[in-house]
Amino acid sequence: MKKNITKITIAAVLLFTGALHMQAQNKEPRTFSGRNPKTGVVRCATVEYGSYLEEGNTELAAKNANFENWISQKIEERKLQRNGATTNEVITIPVVVHVIHNGDAVGSGENILDGQVISQITVLNQDFRRMAGTPGENSEEVGADTQIEFCLAQVKPDGTAFNGIDRVDMGQTNWATFDDVNLNLKPATIWDPEQYFNIWVVRFSTSNSAELNGILGYAQFPEGSTLNGVPTDPQATAASDGVVIGYRYFGSSVEFPEGDYATSLGYDRGRTTTHEVGHALGLRHIWGDGGSQSLGTSNCNATDYCNDTPYAKWDNWDCNAAYDTCPTKAGADMTNNYMDYTNDACMNIFTQDQMTRMHTVLENAQRRASLVTSVVCQPTAANPEFNLLQGINLYPNPTQGVLTIATQDSQLPDSYVIYNSLGQTIANVAVKGAANLTVDTSAYSNGVYFIKVDKGNATKTLKFIKN
Ligand SMILES: [Zn+2]
């Protein structure tokens, strides 16, 4: 017999007003397909967390069921638009790291040192950019510089200066269940997920009966868009968006040896977070989640929707490049892919198709596209340039004719550039007076455009639609 409870949580600092989450009680214990039978660790709980979110949320389940249909259309549109052209447009995602502790001194237990946090951002950039002198350099030819970077946010939601590390004493030693994290931790600590990519670093409970015992980390998958036939999301998952990582799997013992890491397990080089951020940007496990080594199930037809990651019948836990678990399909298992379950020292590759998926998500998905244009990594603490840009709006949007760039006070930006979805410049305007803040779009063809507004050293990019 199941009984539904509803819990409403309001995070007042956020732009959205609340989150409604329905959760079934009296559940059977959850089985994790990625629990290593030898060590007991769960390399990743993203699939199970996705199921958890869908329980009692039929709208989200419908939306998720439509995700591959939605993104495959977006990928096709993207290919047609680009027509084979390659671009060098590096995207930077602003990150806030919430270090969740129980009153410990900094550097003690789960209240990890700044250096350990910073080393994680370093590893994300090494892995996503396939940087020279880092493991990605040795990956095979299909390895991608994804042109995605990460920065620690430099400004808090209230406009004051910040180093990107938000230490929060939650008065609780550890976290035992998805419910506890989603209903208590996240709503109390999340920052606007349209502007910040939220990472929580926590101590998971190690009690044998705890749902999250042994888990390294998990991510919230993107939900596509509110457009294009995908249902809207009345039971908001906005208040839980981001990734959650166990503190001893966060950061890199190579980059910052002074930190506290699960070195003996081989998860001490920051690739738990690389993997989970891959999920948050739309990547699936390379074996397509059809089989599970620990559950003894296999499936050589499950796909991760990337053509350059060979089929595998299940997850791999060690770095054997000779594994070919689906010999009737082309290619050996890509055990070194960040989206397999191997140890940190093994992983060194995102592929071209994985890069395309992530960029398509970043260009189109709810709470992802807005991250790309967020200005919170610019060191603009409490400064008028930042505040001016924060207050800028475009109206009407969508537009058919004259578009107005509205500022909240009488200050003017210095200039702005308008470009189309291919990155081509349509207009470049120096702002001399208020008259320069209206744009006649009547001659523009229908579609998506961007306006990059400059003030001093700060910039903000806004999107508008001509129809
Ligand atoms: Zn995973």
Side-chain angles (χ1 to χ4, degrees):
M1 214 167 46
K2 287 188 175 179
K3 181 181 155 198
N4 286 326
I5 57 165
T6 302
K7 177 155 182 170
I8 300 175
T9 310
I10 296 177
V13 296
L14 300 180
L15 295 180
F16 54 86
T17 54
L20 181 66
H21 188 95
M22 300 177 74
Q23 185 54 41
Q25 280 185 326
N26 306 324
K27 296 183 296 283
E28 291 295 309
R30 200 175 296 276
T31 302
F32 289 92
S33 59
R35 191 177 296 282
N36 185 317
K38 289 179 201 156
T39 63
V41 303
V42 177
R43 187 72 170 105
C44 163
T46 294
V47 172
E48 288 77 13
Y49 174 69
S51 304
Y52 158 83
L53 284 178
E54 290 182 7
E55 287 160 10
N57 188 340
T58 52
E59 291 87 352
L60 180 65
K63 203 171 179 185
N64 288 346
N66 196 36
F67 181 83
E68 290 303 334
N69 183 34
W70 173 80
I71 197 172
S72 65
Q73 287 175 16
K74 289 291 173 193
I75 289 171
E76 284 310 308
E77 286 169 20
R78 191 174 188 273
K79 279 183 189 158
L80 282 173
Q81 271 187 344
R82 304 204 160 212
N83 196 20
T86 55
T87 58
N88 282 310
E89 196 185 340
V90 175
I91 284 171
T92 304
I93 297 178
V95 174
V96 56
V97 177
H98 308 286
V99 177
I100 307 301
H101 62 92
N102 185 33
D104 317 84
V106 173
S108 169
E110 68 275 9
N111 198 3
I112 58 174
L113 293 166
D114 282 5
Q116 190 169 342
V117 175
I118 293 164
S119 75
Q120 181 61 66
I121 305 300
T122 301
V123 168
L124 284 172
N125 287 324
Q126 290 175 349
D127 293 350
F128 278 79
R129 292 303 314 271
R130 199 189 187 197
M131 282 184 180
T134 74
E137 194 179 30
N138 301 317
S139 62
E140 43 271 58
E141 202 176 324
V142 71
D145 165 4
T146 69
Q147 299 189 5
I148 298 168
E149 289 187 358
F150 302 84
C151 56
L152 282 167
Q154 297 297 301
V155 58
K156 290 182 184 178
D158 67 3
T160 55
F162 181 52
N163 69 353
I165 305 170
D166 175 39
R167 298 181 184 279
V168 186
D169 179 354
M170 286 293 289
Q172 181 170 333
T173 311
N174 57 53
W175 302 84
T177 63
F178 285 140
D179 262 358
D180 202 8
V181 173
N182 263 39
L183 304 181
N184 300 319
L185 172 58
K186 286 176 166 180
T189 53
I190 192 172
W191 290 7
D192 181 3
E194 300 275 352
Q195 301 294 317
Y196 299 86
F197 184 77
N198 286 265
I199 298 179
W200 289 269
V201 178
V202 305
R203 184 194 289 266
F204 290 120
S205 173
T206 52
S207 161
N208 281 336
S209 60
E211 185 178 42
L212 301 181
N213 174 32
I215 281 173
L216 274 57
Y218 60 93
Q220 189 162 308
F221 207 69
E223 292 164 33
S225 166
T226 53
L227 303 172
N228 301 308
V230 180
T232 54
D233 188 10
Q235 292 173 325
T237 41
S240 58
D241 209 352
V243 303
V244 186
I245 310 289
Y247 75 99
R248 299 191 71 225
Y249 315 111
F250 193 76
S252 168
S253 66
V254 175
E255 297 297 327
F256 186 74
E258 299 83 354
D260 185 357
Y261 308 99
T263 309
S264 63
L265 291 170
Y267 306 123
D268 59 330
R269 299 189 181 192
R271 306 229 149 76
T272 298
T273 306
T274 298
H275 177 109
E276 297 306 337
V277 172
H279 281 313
L281 300 181
L283 298 188
R284 298 189 184 277
H285 294 134
I286 53 164
W287 67 98
D289 292 306
S292 159
Q293 195 161 163
S294 67
L295 299 180
T297 55
S298 65
N299 182 343
C300 276
N301 294 312
T303 180
D304 65 347
Y305 303 93
C306 292
N307 290 328
D308 53 7
T309 55
Y311 284 87
K313 73 176 183 180
W314 56 24
D315 45 309
N316 285 304
W317 290 78
D318 63 275
C319 198
N320 190 334
Y323 285 144
D324 188 359
T325 59
C326 294
T328 63
K329 307 267 193 185
D333 296 14
M334 195 179 267
T335 54
N336 54 326
N337 195 286
Y338 296 117
M339 302 313 291
D340 204 343
Y341 276 176
T342 45
N343 58 35
D344 285 10
C346 177
M347 295 175 161
N348 68 5
I349 186 169
F350 285 123
T351 66
Q352 300 290 332
D353 283 357
Q354 287 177 321
M355 170 186 174
T356 298
R357 259 178 91 87
M358 290 193 279
H359 274 266
T360 306
V361 163
L362 282 165
E363 286 161 14
N364 296 285
Q366 217 180 339
R367 296 191 300 274
R368 298 293 181 274
S370 55
L371 293 175
V372 176
T373 57
S374 169
V375 297
V376 299
C377 272
Q378 297 178 23
T380 50
N383 98 18
E385 294 169 356
F386 175 81
N387 291 328
L388 168 75
L389 293 170
Q390 281 295 81
I392 281 183
N393 282 304
L394 303 177
Y395 73 87
N397 188 8
T399 184
Q400 295 179 325
V402 174
L403 179 79
T404 298
I405 304 168
T407 59
Q408 281 184 344
D409 52 36
S410 56
Q411 276 198 82
L412 299 174
D414 299 335
S415 61
Y416 60 87
V417 180
I418 301 176
Y419 54 98
N420 64 18
S421 60
L422 298 176
Q424 296 162 327
T425 301
I426 306 296
N428 194 338
V429 179
V431 178
K432 308 287 186 201
N436 294 125
L437 296 179
T438 56
V439 182
D440 185 358
T441 68
S442 52
Y444 291 17
S445 53
N446 289 351
V448 175
Y449 294 84
F450 298 91
I451 295 188
K452 180 166 152 290
V453 185
D454 291 292
K455 178 71 176 178
N457 293 322
T459 66
K460 183 178 185 183
T461 304
L462 299 108
K463 181 164 95 170
F464 73 92
I465 295 169
K466 168 71 192 301
N467 65 11

